[in-house]
Amino acid sequence: MSAQQRIHLNPNAPRAPMMGGGGYTPDPTPSYRSTAQGTQDGFLGQVQQYSSKAEDFIEAYTQPIRPYVPALARFLIVVTFLEDALRILTQWGDQLWYLQKHRKFPWGLSHIFLFVNVVTMLACSSGVILKKFPEYAVFGLLGVVVAQGLGYGLLFDLSFFLRNLSVIGGLLMVLSDSLQNKKKLFAGLPSLSETDRRKYFQLAGRILLIFLFIGFIFQGNWSFARVIVSIVGLGACIMVAVGFKAKWSASFLVTLLSVFNVFINNWWSVHSAHPQRDFLKYDFFQTLSIVGGLLLLVNIGPGGISVDEKKKVY
């Protein structure tokens, strides 16, 4: 440490007198700082060590299923659209009645609206699962999200909005994954390379994926267990958003959301005539889609714009 740094640390400290041999007595201040710094480094080192062990554990025990994770993730991402298409077909009369009675759709336009939604969801979901024209499939499903929000009057409903932001995040992860082996996409944007586009889609996907959990934090009745889960989950969400230990934190959120989904959105335990059943079913499959997006994040990583990637450089 230079003399200027020592003076900055303790500007009022008297200068030490010269000793024999022309040296100075050492300033004791840095030793205290060194001790504190050593303690801090020791704590951070332990955290780093435990997190590395957790990552190694996840890597070791997920190795057998890793080849199947991308396909499972893509299926889970679009499962909410498949369920929605099936629900429209099985409740066609009720859907028409709602659109015409409450949303004031003219006769005929309501039929076209439902038909286009069903065809788009089935075709685009198949494209995502089979990796056929995934970029067009993703944009088709994004159009369905917006169209349904406007058509059913749910665009400004907070719960719907946050959940669909997370679903959009999962779709952006699919788009990012499709760019890995894609040579050319979006010819109108020549200034961005495929690698840059992939990084930006991964960043946007990571950030949007966490909005479901933010909605969970601000809804429902509070309890001690809910506070603990919210704090821990919010920490994991922040880690996912900034890309710090992203695979570990995304794996944790996959586990947390899966447990939450089974015990809270258990629509199968509700009588088929109960009106709450459809709402629980909708929430269940939307949560599965977000779990799929997090699984895809675990598989492809957080991308270039992340703390994990920067640590490799520095």
Side-chain angles (χ1 to χ4, degrees):
M1 182 177 291
S2 67
Q4 184 178 3
Q5 288 174 313
R6 290 199 299 271
I7 293 172
H8 176 71
L9 291 172
N10 196 356
N12 297 321
R15 293 172 181 259
M18 293 187 66
M19 302 291 290
Y24 290 91
T25 57
D27 188 345
T29 304
S31 64
Y32 294 109
R33 288 182 60 85
S34 299
T35 302
Q37 185 68 34
T39 303
Q40 184 180 9
D41 290 343
F43 174 74
L44 293 176
Q46 289 181 347
V47 173
Q48 181 74 20
Q49 183 180 1
Y50 288 134
S51 63
S52 298
K53 287 182 179 179
E55 288 179 346
D56 292 341
F57 178 84
I58 294 171
E59 290 284 339
Y61 284 90
T62 58
Q63 197 68 33
I65 63 171
R66 176 160 293 183
Y68 309 102
V69 169
L72 175 63
R74 290 194 303 271
F75 172 75
L76 290 177
I77 287 171
V78 300
V79 71
T80 187
F81 297 100
L82 294 173
E83 187 275 332
D84 197 31
L86 180 62
R87 180 168 51 85
I88 291 175
L89 289 173
T90 56
Q91 301 176 2
W92 185 264
D94 294 336
Q95 297 288 326
L96 288 175
W97 179 84
Y98 177 82
L99 290 175
Q100 294 171 10
K101 182 72 174 179
H102 293 279
R103 299 301 299 163
K104 308 302 179 183
F105 272 59
W107 191 95
L109 182 60
S110 57
H111 296 71
I112 295 174
F113 177 80
L114 293 178
F115 178 77
V116 170
N117 270 270
V118 169
V119 171
T120 303
M121 286 189 288
L122 292 176
C124 293
S125 296
S126 300
V128 169
I129 294 171
L130 300 175
K131 301 184 75 171
K132 300 294 185 182
F133 307 105
E135 60 275 11
Y136 300 110
V138 166
F139 285 122
L141 294 175
L142 289 176
V144 167
V145 171
V146 176
Q148 289 196 353
L150 292 172
Y152 288 95
L154 298 172
L155 197 60
F156 298 104
D157 179 82
L158 182 60
S159 177
F160 176 88
F161 184 71
L162 292 176
R163 286 178 177 277
N164 278 280
L165 280 181
S166 293
V167 172
I168 290 171
L171 292 173
L172 290 180
M173 295 302 293
V174 171
L175 189 58
S176 173
D177 186 41
S178 71
L179 290 175
Q180 186 172 7
N181 300 317
K182 191 78 175 174
K183 296 299 182 185
K184 207 167 198 181
L185 184 65
F186 307 136
L189 298 174
S191 60
L192 292 177
S193 67
E194 295 299 324
T195 303
D196 289 336
R197 292 173 198 145
R198 188 176 184 226
K199 290 191 300 185
Y200 294 135
F201 283 129
Q202 281 178 286
L203 173 63
R206 288 198 328 260
I207 294 173
L208 292 177
L209 277 172
I210 68 174
F211 276 93
L212 170 69
F213 199 85
I214 294 176
F216 165 75
I217 291 175
F218 291 106
Q219 293 177 356
N221 298 321
W222 286 98
S223 63
F224 178 75
R226 185 184 179 88
V227 170
I228 298 299
V229 171
S230 297
I231 292 174
V232 175
L234 184 60
C237 286
I238 293 173
M239 292 171 67
V240 167
V242 301
F244 175 66
K245 299 293 181 183
K247 290 188 176 183
W248 180 88
S249 50
S251 300
F252 172 78
L253 285 176
V254 166
T255 304
L256 186 64
L257 287 175
S258 298
V259 173
F260 164 82
N261 207 24
V262 170
F263 285 98
I264 303 300
N265 296 325
N266 52 345
W267 56 271
W268 53 88
S269 65
V270 180
H271 193 274
S272 58
H274 198 287
Q276 190 67 18
R277 181 184 172 93
D278 279 344
F279 291 104
L280 290 174
K281 196 174 183 181
Y282 173 78
D283 290 345
F284 178 84
F285 283 101
Q286 276 216 320
T287 304
L288 279 185
S289 292
I290 296 151
V291 168
L294 290 168
L295 277 177
L296 203 55
L297 171 61
V298 173
N299 185 68
I300 67 177
I305 308 176
S306 63
V307 175
D308 289 344
E309 193 67 24
K310 297 302 179 185
K311 284 168 62 180
K312 296 179 183 178
V313 178
Y314 298 105

